[in-house]
Amino acid sequence: MSIKEYYDKQKLGVSAEDMTARVMRAAQEQPKHRAVRKPAVVAAAAAAVLVCGVTAAATGFINFNELFHSISVENEIFGESLIGCVENVKTTISNEDYSVALKGVTGSPTAILANIEIARTDGQPINGEDVYVNLKDISLANYDSYSGSGCTSQINEQGILSIDWDYRMGYDEMLAGEVMMSGPMLINGRVNIQNGGKINAIDWTIEFDYTPSEESLKEARAADTNKNCILNCEISLNDNEYFPLECDISEIVLTNTFGVVKGIILDEVFMMPSRRDANDIRLIRDNGTEVTAHIMSANGDSNGNSINFILRYIETGSRSDELAIDLSDINAISINGIVYELS
Amino acid sequence: MDNVHLNEYIKSYGDTVYRVAYSYTRNRADSEDIVQDTFVKLMKSEKSFESNEHIKAWLIRVAANLAKNAVSSVWCTRREELSEQLLAEEHMDEGLSAAMARLDGKYSAVIYLHYYEGYNVREISKLLRISEPNVKARLKRGREKLKAYLEE
């Protein structure tokens, strides 16, 4: 059987008519995210903003740091990029017995993780209640092409329900390697809480405008390149020929040539320069072992006549500038001691 | 969007969306849910499409994104891979079907889009939000892995 035949046999298990009916039903059952906002919860929104430590009357742009209690990030540089311009925070919640607040933001250039807290307005803990469903749907007003859901939750020591809510940015928001973020950002969902036989379905929405500064975009790009340091472990000598290296790299040496080489930096390998402006770089595997690459010069791009390495200082967590290595005077590449002559 | 148009889109692209989802989830029920959610998003989208190809590409991107999220989400993933795999193997050629079932989603998705849907590397790069060299690498490794599985 060919691959085509294999896929020919993979078909939707229900008829188009049945799926149409399912979709129509689901569309009617899922309220549009903007529909869950109700005027009655303005007070809750204001309270939530006050919890965040800024005045509700703040106008214009305010600093991200001042808005949220904490910004915790897996990627330090991207975290800094989140320190941008935030305004118009609005929170809504459908049940006045509860309040919702955005407590922090973490993430990566392609996924933002927001920490949401839902608490009882009477100060009682949620501990005694059974949170039996913690999400229903998430969709983003301006990112509907790529919206998705994923969350984890826990009830903390104070009896407050803490949800880490994740959404991912799509290709259209990442143009030419840039991370483009602009408001409004909308995070919403549904939490079902059962209390003494009574089931409370709580729809909540947190919305804020985020307009990144030039500086934050620059840092976001830097963070993105850092992420991309972990790619595929291959060196391509031309478009059709690859030398899969996996984790067997012990050494890469680029020497004088007029070859067409494209470099792809590597799964399980970080690259870092020994100095910011150095030609020598080391490759470091996940297990900490090091290899060395010697770079002849630094300019050009990845159009086939040059090679781009994005470097990172692992010790400090800071990044180097993008270092493009001109291969126009390189005629051989040595990988693990084997010299590949380039045409 | 009315029933008639929605039905037409599902007839035209339902299987494509399902295959993209299945590449990641390996689960018929999850894949059908993703098909449903993808078309719900199409219904709710106010996006204007330039052509049928544009709609198709949009649906593929949405489905791939939903599928990746579904696979990675501990809350959303249902675990029926084994039975699904057995079901698939009962109805399909054992060799290729079993090999495809073992292939990681990131490889099978690019293989499907390239060899079945006919998208080139640049187009797949845009659809799946990965670099062109990465698409090439996944195609190459996917082929290698398939070959190795088939030779076992």
Side-chain angles (χ1 to χ4, degrees):
Chain A
M1 179 168 55
S2 68
I3 285 181
K4 182 177 184 309
E5 289 167 335
Y6 168 79
Y7 283 115
D8 277 341
K9 291 185 178 181
Q10 265 188 20
K11 290 182 182 296
L12 195 54
V14 298
S15 68
E17 287 68 28
D18 286 347
M19 181 54 72
T20 301
R22 275 179 62 170
V23 171
M24 296 299 287
R25 265 198 315 274
Q28 287 167 358
E29 286 169 4
Q30 292 177 10
K32 289 193 174 181
H33 24 262
R34 293 194 181 280
V36 301
R37 280 187 242 124
K38 297 176 182 175
V41 296
V42 169
V49 171
L50 284 172
V51 166
C52 291
V54 297
T55 63
T59 57
F61 291 134
I62 53 179
N63 187 289
F64 214 95
N65 264 342
E66 294 171 355
L67 183 64
F68 301 117
H69 282 172
S70 64
I71 297 177
S72 59
V73 291
E74 294 173 7
N75 182 318
E76 180 183 336
I77 294 174
F78 182 69
E80 292 172 4
S81 79
L82 288 174
I83 301 172
C85 300
V86 172
E87 62 177 357
N88 299 328
V89 175
K90 298 170 188 170
T91 65
T92 65
I93 192 161
S94 63
N95 187 320
E96 62 186 15
D97 290 337
Y98 297 85
S99 64
V100 60
L102 180 58
K103 305 298 288 187
V105 176
T106 181
S108 71
T110 56
I112 289 181
L113 193 64
N115 179 242
I116 313 295
E117 283 191 358
I118 294 178
R120 287 189 61 91
T121 50
D122 62 8
Q124 294 300 306
I126 293 178
N127 278 332
E129 299 168 285
D130 181 15
V131 182
Y132 69 95
V133 176
N134 84 329
L135 80 161
K136 177 193 176 193
D137 178 46
I138 179 171
S139 53
L140 302 166
N142 288 336
Y143 301 104
D144 63 336
S145 299
Y146 308 107
S147 64
S149 61
C151 66
T152 58
S153 70
Q154 61 175 359
I155 296 176
N156 66 19
E157 293 175 352
Q158 288 74 45
I160 295 172
L161 176 62
S162 174
I163 305 173
D164 284 336
W165 209 283
D166 143 34
Y167 74 81
R168 294 164 197 281
M169 301 174 69
Y171 182 82
D172 285 350
E173 289 80 54
M174 298 183 66
L175 303 175
E178 297 179 357
V179 178
M180 307 295 291
M181 293 186 295
S182 60
M185 290 180 158
L186 179 70
I187 308 171
N188 67 357
R190 170 172 289 181
V191 177
N192 290 344
I193 294 178
Q194 187 167 11
N195 185 11
K198 178 186 176 187
I199 298 173
N200 293 311
I202 303 169
D203 289 315
W204 53 268
T205 302
I206 293 177
E207 182 180 11
F208 54 91
D209 291 342
Y210 176 59
T211 308
S213 64
E214 283 299 315
E215 186 62 26
S216 67
L217 278 178
K218 180 180 171 187
E219 292 300 332
R221 285 196 293 273
D224 190 38
T225 57
N226 273 346
K227 185 184 179 192
N228 287 340
C229 282
I230 308 171
L231 295 176
N232 297 306
C233 185
E234 293 191 0
I235 296 288
S236 167
L237 298 185
N238 58 51
D239 281 342
N240 300 314
E241 191 173 11
Y242 284 83
F243 292 84
L245 302 175
E246 297 295 343
C247 293
D248 297 325
I249 295 176
S250 61
E251 186 179 43
I252 294 177
V253 180
L254 307 177
T255 53
N256 294 330
T257 186
F258 272 92
V260 176
V261 174
K262 292 177 181 175
I264 310 167
I265 325 177
L266 313 176
D267 250 330
E268 298 124 9
V269 175
F270 284 114
M271 297 195 70
M272 56 176 289
S274 54
R275 300 193 314 274
R276 184 182 180 87
D277 59 349
N279 288 336
D280 290 336
I281 60 173
R282 285 176 289 159
L283 303 177
I284 301 180
R285 294 194 186 97
D286 276 351
N287 64 13
T289 56
E290 296 182 9
V291 295
T292 302
H294 182 69
I295 301 168
M296 301 304 293
S297 59
N299 58 62
D301 56 29
S302 59
N303 60 8
N305 294 318
S306 62
I307 185 169
N308 287 335
F309 287 124
I310 313 300
L311 306 177
R312 181 183 182 211
Y313 296 99
I314 288 181
E315 295 95 334
T316 62
S318 63
R319 71 179 180 94
S320 75
D321 290 330
E322 178 175 322
L323 187 59
I325 296 95
D326 185 356
L327 297 182
S328 60
D329 60 348
I330 293 177
N331 58 23
I333 178 169
S334 168
I335 301 171
N336 293 348
I338 300 171
V339 177
Y340 298 91
E341 300 291 341
L342 305 178
S343 57
Chain B
M1 182 180 298
D2 58 30
N3 274 17
V4 176
H5 283 95
L6 177 64
N7 188 252
E8 285 303 311
Y9 287 133
I10 291 174
K11 277 182 180 169
S12 299
Y13 307 120
D15 286 340
T16 297
V17 170
Y18 174 81
R19 289 172 188 134
V20 170
Y22 194 85
S23 293
Y24 290 97
T25 66
R26 306 289 183 203
N27 181 294
R28 180 174 292 277
D30 281 347
S31 300
E32 287 181 2
D33 285 349
I34 288 166
V35 173
Q36 172 188 304
D37 291 347
T38 301
F39 282 100
V40 167
K41 289 185 183 302
L42 177 66
M43 279 194 71
K44 291 184 174 180
S45 173
E46 295 172 1
K47 197 176 182 72
S48 57
F49 296 98
E50 299 158 7
S51 63
N52 285 341
E53 272 306 304
H54 189 195
I55 293 176
K56 183 179 176 183
W58 187 89
L59 289 168
I60 288 173
R61 283 189 292 191
V62 173
N65 197 56
L66 289 173
K68 283 185 273 190
N69 285 334
V71 169
S72 63
S73 169
V74 295
W75 292 94
C76 299
T77 304
R78 281 179 284 186
R79 296 291 177 190
E80 299 172 19
E81 289 88 345
L82 185 58
S83 58
E84 285 294 324
Q85 187 174 324
L86 289 173
L87 184 67
E89 287 174 4
E90 282 174 9
H91 292 85
M92 293 182 177
D93 178 83
E94 297 76 13
L96 184 61
S97 174
M100 292 297 290
R102 291 173 62 184
L103 204 58
D104 190 281
K106 67 182 179 183
Y107 300 122
S108 57
V110 294
I111 284 176
Y112 168 66
L113 292 172
H114 186 65
Y115 290 107
Y116 190 86
E117 290 293 342
Y119 287 109
N120 64 30
V121 168
R122 176 180 289 272
E123 290 165 337
I124 296 171
S125 166
K126 290 182 177 178
L127 285 171
L128 300 183
R129 300 154 38 198
I130 55 179
S131 69
E132 291 180 38
N134 226 337
V135 175
K136 287 183 183 176
R138 289 185 186 187
L139 280 171
K140 175 179 175 294
R141 287 184 183 167
R143 285 194 303 264
E144 288 174 348
K145 285 176 184 291
L146 268 181
K147 184 181 176 190
Y149 295 152
L150 288 168
E151 287 175 351
E152 284 179 2

